[in-house]
Amino acid sequence: MILPRDAEALAAVVTFALTGYHLSVRFFGHPLAGVREEALIATLVDLVAGA
């Protein structure tokens, strides 16, 4: 369960994760550790949902 006071922090963490992912792919020319975008997003959704 996400507490209301944590919603902004959660939004920031997800935004930073997605931004950092895209920046690292552009910088290195490939996904780090072979993690594809779909897997990253699915994992973020699991984290947010508490799975």
Side-chain angles (χ1 to χ4, degrees):
M1 182 172 108
I2 301 168
L3 300 175
R5 66 178 181 271
D6 296 329
E8 288 183 5
L10 176 61
V13 168
V14 170
T15 300
F16 296 154
L18 292 172
T19 302
Y21 176 83
H22 288 287
L23 289 174
S24 68
V25 168
R26 287 182 186 264
F27 183 79
F28 294 109
H30 58 84
L32 295 179
V35 176
R36 304 310 259 170
E37 184 174 355
E38 296 82 11
L40 177 82
I41 292 170
T43 302
L44 284 172
V45 168
D46 287 347
L47 288 170
V48 169

